[in-house]
Amino acid sequence: MAEQKKKTIVSADSDEKLKNAKTVKPAKPVGNASGLRVGAVILWVVAIAFEVLALLVLLGKINIHIGSSLVQLIIFLVLDLICVIIGAQLWKKANHIQPASEKNKFKFWLWNNMGVVVCAFAFIPFIILLLTNKNVDKKTKTVALIAALVALVIGGAASYDWNPISVEEQTAAEAVFGEEQVVWAPFGKVYHIVDYDAAGEPVYCSSLNQSDTLTIGTVDQAIAAGRTRLCSFCAKRHNIEGLKTEE
Ligand SMILES: [Zn+2]
């Protein structure tokens, strides 16, 4: 589509033009939800494998000869954490492409936050075995416990879907916008409606004044990019009701 080409806002006033010049780039394709889910599950299995390796080091069953056993423990916990976090990002992305139904609130929460559940499985068994193991010296126990707890909190927060969307909300947004192009800023969780002036030039929502770079795409692409809410100013301007909005 023509709107997808790079363009800047043209205004009568050249100073204004400079001030409002924006780079508008087309959104990436929404991607493949199934592929992302497979990637997430593989990473989560690897994460649990790293937890098992950390446990084997703790129990003195393996030694990879890098530093002390405490160092090895921490290495495995960090690798565990990295896989937990990347897996959860893929999973959340898949949920923004192919959202779950919110008819059953518990299932909706669980599906969206599968990463948090995996994070619990990736660290809590280690923590329990660490606390109940009598053969581990005090220093190792303390440091490993702190490391595992910190990893649990960081992994949980990074895996939680702070910006969930349901298939009902996605369908409602598609019903309003269809293939119409919406626009969004590099950060945040809202998308905006593009207006056009008499000359056919795009006019962007005033809340985008601070953003030099915008992305334009369909509402499905906006949601896939984590922009799950319609800007409340845009909703008011166009009298759109029934969609979740946010400033
Ligand atoms: Zn707006």
Side-chain angles (χ1 to χ4, degrees):
M1 278 192 185
E3 291 85 38
Q4 288 187 328
K5 287 184 187 136
K6 280 190 181 182
K7 65 169 84 171
T8 54
I9 290 188
V10 182
S11 155
D13 182 332
S14 59
D15 284 345
E16 272 296 300
K17 180 181 166 182
L18 272 181
K19 219 166 45 183
N20 287 333
K22 293 185 192 298
T23 305
V24 182
K25 51 179 192 193
K28 291 192 195 100
V30 289
N32 178 327
S34 313
L36 290 166
R37 290 196 204 283
V38 169
V41 171
I42 291 171
L43 280 162
W44 286 339
V45 169
V46 174
I48 301 292
F50 280 128
E51 180 187 30
V52 171
L53 288 173
L55 278 170
L56 291 174
V57 171
L58 180 75
L59 300 172
K61 304 273 190 210
I62 59 164
N63 186 345
I64 56 167
H65 302 288
I66 302 172
S68 63
S69 60
L70 186 55
V71 170
Q72 295 177 25
L73 263 183
I74 305 241
I75 289 173
F76 285 133
L77 288 179
V78 169
L79 291 171
D80 181 355
L81 177 63
I82 291 170
C83 292
V84 161
I85 292 178
I86 299 174
Q89 306 321 302
L90 299 183
W91 187 262
K92 287 195 279 188
K93 176 92 181 161
N95 287 339
H96 283 172
I97 296 168
Q98 204 178 68
S101 168
E102 61 182 339
K103 279 185 187 135
N104 181 326
K105 294 281 174 201
F106 175 70
K107 258 163 108 179
F108 181 64
W109 187 93
L110 192 67
W111 187 252
N112 283 331
N113 293 299
M114 199 67 84
V116 178
V117 176
V118 173
C119 181
F121 278 110
F123 295 105
I124 291 176
F126 175 85
I127 291 170
I128 292 171
L129 282 161
L130 177 69
L131 290 175
T132 54
N133 192 312
K134 293 188 173 65
N135 301 323
V136 183
D137 65 274
K138 211 171 169 190
K139 183 192 161 204
T140 303
K141 208 170 214 172
T142 310
V143 177
L145 180 64
I146 292 170
L149 286 173
V150 168
L152 179 67
V153 171
I154 294 174
S159 302
Y160 185 78
D161 194 345
W162 300 89
N163 199 13
I165 180 142
S166 66
V167 69
E168 289 82 4
E169 289 169 336
Q170 186 195 44
T171 307
E174 286 167 354
V176 171
F177 295 106
E179 291 298 306
E180 194 184 315
Q181 304 269 285
V182 295
V183 71
W184 58 95
F187 300 102
K189 50 183 170 184
V190 298
Y191 58 88
H192 305 261
I193 297 171
V194 187
D195 295 317
Y196 293 91
D197 65 14
E201 292 295 336
V203 180
Y204 299 110
C205 175
S206 58
S207 59
L208 289 169
N209 284 353
Q210 304 302 317
S211 309
D212 294 331
T213 310
L214 301 179
T215 305
I216 195 161
T218 62
V219 73
D220 278 336
Q221 288 175 313
I223 292 169
R227 274 57 174 192
T228 54
R229 304 277 179 261
L230 170 62
C231 159
S232 58
F233 301 114
C234 289
K236 270 181 209 141
R237 209 167 63 238
H238 287 260
N239 288 318
I240 292 175
E241 285 168 9
L243 291 186
K244 274 194 187 157
T245 61
E246 201 149 317
E247 280 179 21

